[in-house]
Amino acid sequence: METANEPGAGPVQTAQTQSTLTAEQQAAASEGFNMLFSTRRPRDAAAGVSSGLKSIVKGVIAGAATLVAAPVMGAQQEGLKGFGKGLAAGVAGAVALPVTGAVVGTAQIARGVYNTPDAIASSMDGKTWDSEERVWTSDGVNARYKKAFEAPSNQLVLDDKPYDDARARQMRAALAGGGALGIDGGVVQDTKLYDDLGVATDASQSEIKKAYYRLAKQLHPDKNPDDPEANARFQAIGQAYQVLCDPSLREQYDRHGLQVVDQQDMMDPSEFFAMLFGNEAFEYLIGETAVALAKGGEISEANMHVLQKRREAQLAVNLVALLRRYVEGDAQGFVDWAQEEALRLAKTSFGGQLLQCIGWVYRNQAEQRLGILNYNPFAKMRQHGIELQTKLKLVGAAVKAMRLQSKIAKEQAKEEEQQQHGSADVDHENKGSTSASGASSGAQPSDKAQASPRAGSNLEKEFLPAILDALFQATKIDIQRTLRRVCNAVLHDSEVEKAVWRSRAEALEVLGRIFEATGEATEKAEAASGGVTASARMEQAMRATVEKKMAEDDARHAEH
């Protein structure tokens, strides 16, 4: 019976496999096509022209790239024969891709023109364009907020289980250490961290905290600007405190030593980046940036999408509240508050630059809304120009950082090679002389090697600013994109009268100009005083992160 069924099973399984493969190949081809050419529904004629031109340009570039790359790849795989095949494929691609781009581009322009009447009518009715769903929606700010946090499609999912309030409380408790574990009386395997703070291995939390405060005041970089050893010790006591003040980490350290602690995150990367780029103070304006979330650990694309929708919904509610004072008639009170708030924010890390970034988006979006028929093409063009400029700066900073990293690696390899040759020369000299003279002759090269500055030290000093610049440019791109959507929701809120839209736009323009002016003044003042170094920014962020953790520990212990 089994033997009779086996021959018949083969063709069925083969056909199913072929069908599956075909479906997978079709899906991959469709995804690749959509990545290359813009086929999403355009909002109106302007969006259709923009989408169409992008597809045409991409088709031409892809065709040219195929013409060059295909013969090279063919030659690498099959030599001269492969070169001929690749050339034929390249020529075909050079013809087909631009034609496809032109067809898709023309279709997108036509779709945009066709959708324009509906776009005008929807806009006049108070609807807003959902750039993700590609539809016009009547949801206002409050409705979007409720949908972002309550709709089933917008729920975070971890381990195939919903991230609800109960799960959130459970995770917060786990991250906080889960209660007082304390010292179990066992033998401490490593005392380095205790030695760094100058406390006994059975020291209480209060003793550890007092020791850290005392040493932090003594070793603070501001009090020891020319002492690199003090700076290194300041960082060491910060690491020691982070471990020993956490009951769970302290228990692991006592049992297993530094090898276990090294595997732990000494600080929450997302909090560190929030402190580094001033996000903590600016959170009610920009939320938690994508850069900070990405550094905080692996988050699935689906959860990132949900978090971004929640971020935009929350920021829209916040912005409506901030503008309400002006909308309700207290214009001078609004201006006074905005000026005072801008000065407060300017004191944070990257505060001047963040104020200019936020202020520009606010002012630009307001100008677009206050244009004739609620549209200002010149403001729209300036928006695209600034966003392109930021992207180019990001590329430039990233390329610079990569080049410096490559140079540093080469210099370090060169140093290691020189040190190996130096130690070999010392051994040779020691063998050819008496023990006394050998020790003397051997010490001189070693002292010279230690006294000579590292060849790559200057490169390393350049590398940190380049990395910070690249990260900040990426943060700016994220902020610009997010706030543009937030402003669009606030200035096209279907839950209020259209007269309120204009009042909000006027308030937003005022706020934007104040933020821009304060940010620019802050940048000029910092430049006149010599500027803030990249290492200083990192140290400030590290101190702020540690201080925040200490405050959270104090609050947690107070509850118990």
Side-chain angles (χ1 to χ4, degrees):
M1 193 69 173
E2 294 177 0
T3 307
N5 285 338
E6 288 177 1
V12 173
Q13 292 175 353
T14 302
Q16 290 175 345
T17 302
Q18 290 176 346
S19 175
T20 302
L21 290 175
T22 301
E24 292 176 352
Q25 291 172 350
Q26 290 177 349
S30 176
E31 183 178 355
F33 184 87
N34 290 332
M35 289 178 62
L36 181 59
F37 299 111
S38 179
T39 58
R40 300 191 304 168
R41 180 193 176 195
R43 180 185 59 187
D44 50 25
V49 170
S50 175
S51 175
L53 291 177
K54 288 179 182 178
S55 293
I56 293 172
V57 171
K58 287 180 179 179
V60 172
I61 294 175
T66 302
L67 181 61
V68 174
V72 175
M73 295 176 62
Q76 291 177 346
Q77 295 176 357
E78 301 182 42
L80 185 59
K81 181 180 178 181
F83 177 82
K85 292 181 179 178
L87 182 61
V91 171
V95 174
L97 289 173
V99 171
T100 303
V103 171
V104 173
T106 303
Q108 286 295 95
I109 294 173
R111 292 175 70 191
V113 172
Y114 178 80
N115 292 334
T116 298
D118 180 52
I120 295 174
S122 298
S123 180
M124 296 298 291
D125 290 340
K127 295 182 179 180
T128 56
W129 176 253
D130 190 323
S131 58
E132 295 179 357
E133 301 295 335
R134 315 304 295 178
V135 295
W136 290 94
T137 176
S138 298
D139 289 345
V141 170
N142 292 322
R144 286 171 183 254
Y145 179 85
K146 185 176 181 181
K147 183 177 179 182
F149 285 88
E150 296 181 4
S153 60
N154 290 326
Q155 295 302 307
L156 293 171
V157 176
L158 301 174
D159 304 327
D160 297 326
K161 297 179 181 178
Y163 186 76
D164 51 17
D165 291 341
R167 185 81 183 274
R169 288 193 297 271
Q170 181 182 5
M171 290 187 68
R172 283 196 297 270
L175 291 172
L181 295 176
I183 303 300
D184 59 5
V187 178
V188 176
Q189 298 296 324
D190 189 295
T191 64
K192 180 183 182 302
L193 300 185
Y194 292 101
D195 295 340
D196 286 343
L197 290 178
V199 297
T201 56
D202 59 350
S204 66
Q205 291 291 317
S206 176
E207 291 172 334
I208 290 172
K209 187 171 297 183
K210 288 179 180 178
Y212 173 76
Y213 275 125
R214 176 175 53 80
L215 291 173
K217 290 179 180 179
Q218 295 176 3
L219 302 171
H220 198 287
D222 291 346
K223 295 184 178 180
N224 305 274
D226 301 322
D227 188 355
E229 185 176 345
N231 185 28
R233 283 205 61 199
F234 179 80
Q235 296 181 8
I237 64 172
Q239 182 189 50
Y241 176 78
Q242 289 184 68
V243 174
L244 299 183
C245 74
D246 187 305
S248 178
L249 283 179
R250 182 179 181 181
E251 182 189 40
Q252 293 184 54
Y253 170 68
D254 287 349
R255 291 181 177 179
H256 306 288
L258 284 173
Q259 61 180 357
V260 171
V261 176
D262 288 342
Q263 298 173 2
Q264 303 290 329
D265 289 333
M266 291 299 99
M267 63 177 65
D268 185 344
S270 63
E271 289 187 1
F272 175 75
F273 274 81
M275 295 295 183
L276 178 62
F277 295 120
N279 294 4
E280 178 99 334
F282 283 87
E283 186 172 359
Y284 74 103
L285 296 172
I286 62 177
E288 188 169 12
T289 64
V291 174
L293 284 173
K295 291 296 179 183
E298 292 187 2
I299 300 179
S300 69
E301 184 177 351
N303 281 344
M304 282 289 288
H305 177 75
V306 171
L307 290 173
Q308 178 63 19
K309 293 193 74 171
R310 291 183 175 185
R311 174 189 176 192
E312 293 174 7
Q314 181 65 66
L315 294 179
V317 172
N318 293 350
L319 187 56
V320 167
L322 294 178
L323 303 179
R324 182 174 294 129
R325 190 169 186 175
Y326 183 100
V327 173
E328 292 178 352
D330 186 8
Q332 186 57 49
F334 176 79
V335 170
D336 293 341
W337 164 83
Q339 291 174 339
E340 182 179 348
E341 184 68 358
L343 291 174
R344 182 185 73 85
L345 294 171
K347 298 177 182 178
T348 63
S349 179
F350 286 95
Q353 296 181 54
L354 283 172
L355 280 172
Q356 290 183 80
C357 175
I358 296 170
W360 156 256
V361 178
Y362 283 174
R363 180 169 63 84
N364 179 261
Q365 292 299 306
E367 288 175 349
Q368 291 188 42
R369 180 66 185 81
L370 294 172
I372 300 175
L373 296 177
N374 303 328
Y375 183 70
N376 186 332
F378 301 106
K380 189 74 172 179
M381 290 173 61
R382 287 194 293 270
Q383 170 197 313
H384 292 313
I386 289 294
E387 290 176 352
L388 176 60
Q389 184 181 12
T390 306
K391 292 177 182 178
L392 292 176
K393 286 183 178 180
L394 171 60
V395 173
V399 170
K400 181 179 179 181
M402 291 174 62
R403 288 178 177 173
L404 288 171
Q405 187 177 25
S406 177
K407 289 181 180 180
I408 290 172
K410 291 179 180 179
E411 291 292 344
Q412 289 177 343
K414 186 177 179 180
E415 277 185 22
E416 292 176 0
E417 185 178 356
Q418 290 175 345
Q419 289 175 358
Q420 290 175 357
H421 286 305
S423 62
D425 292 340
V426 171
D427 291 341
H428 179 71
E429 292 177 10
N430 287 340
K431 290 180 180 179
S433 59
T434 62
S435 59
S437 63
S440 176
S441 64
Q444 292 173 0
S446 176
D447 291 342
K448 289 179 180 179
Q450 291 178 0
S452 61
R454 290 187 57 192
S457 60
N458 291 332
L459 292 175
E460 291 176 349
K461 290 179 181 179
E462 295 178 21
F463 179 67
L464 182 57
I467 284 291
L468 288 185
D469 187 24
L471 289 172
F472 184 69
Q473 296 305 327
T475 300
K476 282 182 63 177
I477 291 173
D478 173 62
I479 292 173
Q480 289 170 351
R481 181 179 64 250
T482 299
L483 293 189
R484 176 162 41 84
R485 294 173 179 170
V486 169
C487 292
N488 184 61
V490 170
L491 300 181
H492 297 83
D493 187 359
S494 61
E495 297 169 356
V496 297
E497 298 294 331
K498 291 184 180 180
V500 176
W501 295 5
R502 187 169 188 86
S503 296
R504 287 179 179 176
E506 292 172 353
L508 196 62
E509 184 178 23
V510 170
L511 183 60
R513 291 188 183 280
I514 291 174
F515 276 11
E516 280 189 289
T518 306
E520 185 178 354
T522 302
E523 286 291 287
K524 289 181 178 179
E526 288 184 357
S529 62
V532 182
T533 64
S535 59
R537 292 189 189 277
M538 295 287 282
E539 290 168 3
Q540 291 171 4
M542 187 176 296
R543 289 198 301 271
T545 307
V546 172
E547 289 170 1
K548 180 181 179 182
K549 182 174 177 60
M550 292 172 66
E552 291 174 349
D553 291 340
D554 289 341
R556 189 169 70 248
H557 290 310
E559 291 177 358
H560 294 292

